[in-house]
Amino acid sequence: MNHSGIVNFLWGVADLIRDTFKRGKYQDVILPLTVLRRLDCVLAPTKEKVLQTHARLKGKLENLDPQLRAASGFAFYNTSRYDFEKLLADAPHLAANLRNYIAGFSPNMREVLERFDFDNTISKLDEAGLLYKVLERFKNVDLHPDQVDNPTMGTIFEELIRRFNEALNENPGEHFTPRDVVHLMVDLMLAGDEDRIRRKGIVCTVYDPCCGSGGMLMITKEHITIGWRRNGEVVRGPINPEAEIYLFGQEVNPETWAVAKSDLFMKDPTGRDADNIAFGSVLSNDKHAGRSFDYLIANPPYGKDWKRDEEAVRAEHERGASGRFGSGLPRISDGQLLFLLHMLSHMKEPKEDGSRAAIIMNGSPLFTGDAGAGESEIRRYVLKHDLLEAIIALPEQLFYNTGIATYVWVLTNRKAPERRGKVQLIDASSFWVPMRKSLGDKRREIPPEKAWDIVKILKDFKDGDTRIVEKDGKREEVVVSKVFPTTHFGYRKITVQRPLRLNFQASPERIARLEEERAFQALADSKKKGTTGDKERAEGRALQERIRSLLHALPETLFKDRAEFDKVLEAAARQAEVRLPASVKKAILSALSERDETAEVCRDKNGNPEPDPELRDTENVPLPPGDDPADAQGIPQSVREFFAREVKPHVPDAWIATDKRDAKDGKVGIVGYEINFNRYFYRYTPPRPLEEIEADIRALEQEIVRMLAQVTGGEERSAVEG
């Protein structure tokens, strides 16, 4: 059977258990038994040798582990006398014997199997009388590496996981990244490093902080040492078959962690890579803290909150530069950029030859978050430190659980000289072919030839590079690559103030508005109880009445100068012997005022114009490529020039709010960064001529008339035409 046949065969277990297990629990049965059967097949050739070694040395040596590993030929073994064949031969005691079989695995593999929490599943299957049927089905499929090689087995595991995720309706992209996307990401990550990897005696480390079932790690190793394999066939040779590749990863989901760990144990007899796959949430408990890696690759869950890690993440953020998240925190509802920062913290220093990374995310990390917000500050950190080499827009409908647009970020701290201070944007959204058969929401794939072309565009590093693409049945030449300086994505958000201009009038309508002012209402309230409270409320009501009388006694003249009206109000209050608390006076001025562009500017006690909150506006001033000196007020030169050119001619009385300053450089205006990818590759499509649209409408009307005539007869047709 090919991998699809095996997947369908194993998934057929669902037919046996559907009355006992809910659809979302199928993985509790299928995944652990798939792993167990694979282990059973792998260990079968050396099973007797392990049993003999165990029998011969038991009680003679304190630590049998090295001898048993040597006997099995792997970094794990099983000392139980059972295998799938013998388990099924003793049906009455199947549950107990299966537990004995699992307990016979070496401690490192037992730790893996325990993550499946399989003991409860055994009990449930046994109670339902299904254990024998299910185990028999698995016994009938040969999962030995000679029959199903490791890449194919990895595809089987991930295809099963994909189906489980569909059943559970989990977040898009979680645990599983399509093979075509992984191959492309690996090539993008390794692009330009081929000569380095070909060096004799090269040792490389590869790290995935959310490794799922380990696909990205294994494919990276394969690209370097075996080549690009598709359906078991090598479509492109290796970079360096002699390279020594060490894999590292961490995974929070116990089942997928167990799949990755078990698969790596079977791939490498030393168990070295499997030992480097840690379990737990990487955001709150980094199991590889202090280590740095040559290559880093990840597909973090997107659209998923980080509430479970919030306390630890915020604590690390407070540590500033000494922590992973010092540059900023994204909103709690989406933790993608936290994984990016985590990866950057594990890069090797440039003096140690630096690192390269590839991470795939949705569009949110490109532009979400205003200037000063966490996402913007993270983008600022990445671009200011010149860590972003390129962003590649991928086609939609590539993933199994979602059709949304995704982007690969390529990052490095050892850019080639010609790339320093620059970022390349690549629009690869047209680089796809339709799949013969859709898999969930995945209707498209990126074949090797198109993936290699995307990598070529990255390597060529041409601003304005073009390709012929087909769109709506037409072939056209479009720009697919643009190069910008890192500062191009930055801006300084300034606040533009305009003066407050009010007129004042003690008209009955405006005086009535005073009743809605909280400060005026509060005069008749008291927090005190009993007679004291009653007394205060009575005094307040009396003061309210005196204020009403005071205002009604004022002339109904329209004042266009607040200072002049204030003098009239103060004089009237003194004459009426009414003391106006500051809050009440403010409420009176608010009630009796209306905005008036012809009125005098309202000024504070120092004579400075007061800003009008309703006229307040903001402007995003592009960051200049070089130095941007500030004047004595802290206003950068670029801001002054922009303001004089773009604002002053339209609103001469406006000014820049100098109290709104950037927390990092102290200059006026808050710095922000965003990458509005679609804007740079937007292609204008002119609307169809009106004549064509009108002709279509007339044709539709005639078609409707004809259809109605067929259904209802000539009278209705005449009526419609009339």
Side-chain angles (χ1 to χ4, degrees):
M1 288 187 287
N2 59 21
H3 83 273
S4 296
I6 294 172
V7 168
N8 291 332
F9 182 80
L10 297 176
W11 189 255
V13 171
D15 294 330
L16 298 174
I17 64 174
R18 67 175 70 254
D19 294 330
T20 305
F21 290 82
K22 293 180 180 178
R23 184 173 174 82
K25 294 292 184 179
Y26 291 173
Q27 69 181 49
D28 294 353
V29 177
I30 297 173
L31 266 188
L33 281 174
T34 302
V35 171
L36 273 176
R37 180 57 181 153
R38 175 79 159 171
L39 295 173
D40 193 61
C41 294
V42 166
L43 293 178
T46 59
K47 179 76 172 180
E48 285 304 317
K49 188 177 179 181
V50 169
L51 293 177
Q52 290 169 10
T53 303
H54 184 256
R56 186 176 75 253
L57 298 177
K58 187 177 181 181
K60 296 179 181 178
L61 293 177
E62 185 175 341
N63 183 14
L64 297 180
D65 195 66
Q67 283 75 16
L68 294 174
R69 287 189 181 200
S72 76
F74 292 92
F76 64 97
Y77 49 85
N78 187 296
T79 58
S80 168
R81 68 184 182 87
Y82 292 105
D83 55 21
F84 269 54
E85 196 79 40
K86 291 177 180 175
L87 285 169
L88 291 167
D90 186 11
H93 306 99
L94 181 55
N97 293 342
L98 180 56
R99 289 187 172 95
N100 176 278
Y101 172 66
I102 294 171
F105 277 100
S106 51
N108 56 357
M109 188 55 73
R110 235 179 11 253
E111 179 195 12
V112 170
L113 296 173
E114 284 169 0
R115 294 294 178 187
F116 288 116
D117 193 23
F118 192 48
D119 194 70
N120 289 331
T121 303
I122 293 173
S123 298
K124 197 167 183 179
L125 286 169
D126 191 36
E127 290 168 6
L130 294 171
L131 187 57
Y132 184 90
K133 292 180 181 179
V134 170
L135 214 64
E136 184 181 39
R137 187 172 186 88
F138 277 91
K139 190 213 69 163
N140 290 330
V141 62
D142 187 354
L143 298 181
H144 192 280
D146 291 344
Q147 301 297 319
V148 184
D149 62 20
N150 286 327
T152 303
M153 195 65 223
T155 304
I156 290 169
F157 276 132
E158 299 204 340
E159 172 66 8
L160 287 171
I161 290 169
R162 179 189 70 79
R163 295 194 185 191
F164 297 143
N165 286 352
E166 284 184 351
L168 294 167
N169 196 26
E170 290 214 4
N171 284 331
E174 191 165 4
H175 311 315
F176 185 78
T177 312
R179 302 294 84 187
D180 53 329
V181 176
V182 179
H183 284 297
L184 172 61
M185 287 181 66
V186 170
D187 266 9
L188 291 168
M189 178 178 65
L190 301 178
D193 267 20
E194 292 83 0
D195 290 341
R196 176 179 180 273
I197 295 170
R198 290 190 188 103
R199 293 196 306 232
K200 188 175 180 180
I202 187 72
V203 176
C204 296
T205 52
V206 186
Y207 173 60
D208 184 344
C210 38
C211 66
S213 55
M216 287 187 167
L217 291 172
M218 297 172 198
I219 287 179
T220 302
K221 189 172 184 176
E222 283 183 9
H223 271 231
I224 295 173
T225 60
I226 298 173
W228 181 326
R229 290 203 277 195
R230 189 181 192 191
N231 299 326
E233 177 188 353
V234 176
V235 296
R236 190 189 64 202
I239 300 174
N240 182 0
E242 305 302 320
E244 193 74 20
I245 310 299
Y246 289 77
L247 304 181
F248 295 82
Q250 188 163 335
E251 172 58 31
V252 68
N253 181 278
E255 290 85 4
T256 44
W257 173 84
V259 168
K261 191 108 168 170
S262 62
D263 209 26
L264 282 170
F265 269 130
M266 287 179 271
K267 277 179 167 62
D268 179 10
T270 69
R272 180 189 69 197
D273 290 338
D275 289 336
N276 292 333
I277 305 299
F279 175 72
S281 173
V282 76
L283 298 181
S284 57
N285 188 9
D286 182 6
K287 296 291 183 67
H288 294 293
R291 296 200 69 131
S292 55
F293 307 97
D294 297 295
Y295 300 101
L296 306 96
I297 188 167
N299 174 18
Y302 37 85
K304 187 173 182 179
D305 67 62
W306 45 280
K307 290 177 182 177
R308 61 177 291 179
D309 302 304
E310 182 176 5
E311 185 178 350
V313 169
R314 292 195 183 279
E316 193 159 351
H317 171 66
E318 294 300 322
R319 289 166 49 194
S322 63
R324 293 172 291 168
F325 312 120
S327 59
L329 295 179
R331 60 197 62 196
I332 194 72
S333 59
D334 190 353
Q336 291 175 93
L337 284 170
L338 291 178
F339 287 92
L340 183 145
L341 289 177
H342 169 79
M343 292 169 76
L344 295 179
S345 74
H346 280 283
M347 279 185 163
K348 288 186 173 180
E349 293 291 334
K351 62 185 179 183
E352 298 174 343
D353 218 6
S355 303
R356 286 181 66 80
I359 181 172
I360 186 167
M361 300 183 282
N362 65 12
S364 177
L366 292 171
F367 51 79
T368 300
D370 198 3
E375 294 92 345
S376 177
E377 286 298 292
I378 293 170
R379 290 189 292 269
R380 179 181 186 177
Y381 173 84
V382 171
L383 290 161
K384 288 279 284 184
H385 288 80
D386 200 14
L387 297 171
L388 182 60
E389 179 170 292
I391 296 177
I392 299 90
L394 299 185
E396 296 178 353
Q397 300 177 35
L398 280 184
F399 284 77
Y400 300 105
N401 297 52
T402 179
I404 65 173
T406 50
Y407 301 81
V408 177
W409 294 42
V410 179
L411 305 111
T412 182
N413 56 0
R414 50 177 169 85
K415 282 187 178 182
E418 66 273 14
R419 286 184 177 269
R420 288 172 190 162
K422 298 176 182 178
V423 175
Q424 183 180 14
L425 302 183
I426 299 174
D427 180 12
S429 58
S430 301
F431 288 59
W432 57 272
V433 296
M435 295 180 65
R436 284 180 296 177
K437 182 181 178 183
S438 298
L439 291 172
D441 288 320
K442 183 174 176 62
R443 300 179 180 88
R444 300 170 176 174
E445 63 181 346
I446 304 174
E449 314 78 53
K450 290 189 179 290
W452 298 335
D453 195 23
I454 295 169
V455 176
K456 183 180 186 301
I457 295 169
L458 176 73
K459 288 183 174 181
D460 289 346
F461 190 54
K462 292 179 185 176
D463 183 29
D465 204 355
T466 62
R467 289 293 186 275
I468 302 294
V469 303
E470 188 170 321
K471 186 178 181 183
D472 300 329
K474 298 178 181 178
R475 290 173 62 81
E476 58 178 315
E477 185 177 20
V478 299
V479 173
V480 295
S481 171
K482 293 193 175 183
V483 178
F484 299 98
T486 54
T487 52
H488 178 82
F489 306 105
Y491 61 91
R492 193 176 289 274
K493 183 178 181 179
I494 61 170
T495 299
V496 177
Q497 303 280 28
R498 293 183 61 190
L500 180 65
R501 298 175 185 270
L502 300 173
N503 66 39
F504 298 84
Q505 186 179 33
S507 65
E509 296 82 5
R510 297 192 188 188
I511 294 172
R513 295 202 299 242
L514 181 62
E515 305 296 333
E516 300 170 8
E517 295 285 339
R518 283 190 177 184
F520 185 75
Q521 295 172 351
L523 290 174
D525 291 336
S526 175
K527 293 182 179 179
K528 296 179 181 179
K529 297 180 180 180
T531 55
T532 305
D534 293 339
K535 182 181 178 183
E536 285 189 358
R537 283 186 282 274
E539 291 174 350
R541 286 192 292 271
L543 179 56
Q544 284 178 332
E545 191 56 41
R546 294 173 66 194
I547 291 172
R548 292 187 190 102
S549 300
L550 164 67
L551 296 181
H552 282 293
L554 290 174
E556 288 193 32
T557 308
L558 184 69
F559 292 85
K560 292 199 173 188
D561 186 334
R562 187 175 68 182
E564 184 181 344
F565 178 74
D566 190 51
K567 290 177 183 177
V568 172
L569 178 63
E570 287 284 352
R574 283 194 301 271
Q575 185 176 352
E577 296 183 348
V578 176
R579 189 182 68 82
L580 297 175
S583 60
V584 175
K585 184 179 178 183
K586 185 178 179 181
I588 292 171
L589 293 175
S590 174
L592 303 188
S593 66
E594 289 183 359
R595 281 174 172 75
D596 184 347
E597 290 185 3
T598 64
E600 291 294 320
V601 172
C602 297
R603 299 181 180 275
D604 61 20
K605 60 182 180 181
N606 297 319
N608 298 316
E610 289 184 17
D612 186 342
E614 291 190 9
L615 297 179
R616 183 177 295 137
D617 201 0
T618 59
E619 295 283 350
N620 290 343
V621 182
L623 291 182
D627 188 33
D628 196 12
D631 61 15
Q633 291 181 288
I635 302 175
Q637 181 178 336
S638 63
V639 171
R640 291 199 308 273
E641 292 173 352
F642 177 93
F643 186 75
R645 182 179 67 251
E646 304 292 340
V647 179
K648 269 291 188 181
H650 307 288
V651 277
D653 59 358
W655 72 92
I656 301 169
T658 56
D659 60 327
K660 306 293 184 183
R661 294 175 179 258
D662 187 75
K664 287 189 169 65
D665 65 19
K667 297 178 183 179
V668 171
I670 300 169
V671 173
Y673 278 82
E674 69 174 16
I675 305 171
N676 196 329
F677 198 100
N678 293 333
R679 178 197 302 163
Y680 303 118
F681 294 96
Y682 172 74
R683 295 194 298 274
Y684 173 72
T685 304
R688 291 191 301 151
L690 284 175
E691 294 77 12
E692 284 187 20
I693 298 172
E694 288 175 357
D696 285 349
I697 293 173
R698 283 195 296 271
L700 285 171
E701 287 176 343
Q702 291 171 4
E703 178 67 14
I704 292 170
V705 168
R706 185 186 65 78
M707 293 172 67
L708 285 172
Q710 289 178 351
V711 174
T712 61
E715 288 185 23
E716 284 79 357
R717 178 176 180 178
S718 299
V720 172
E721 289 176 344

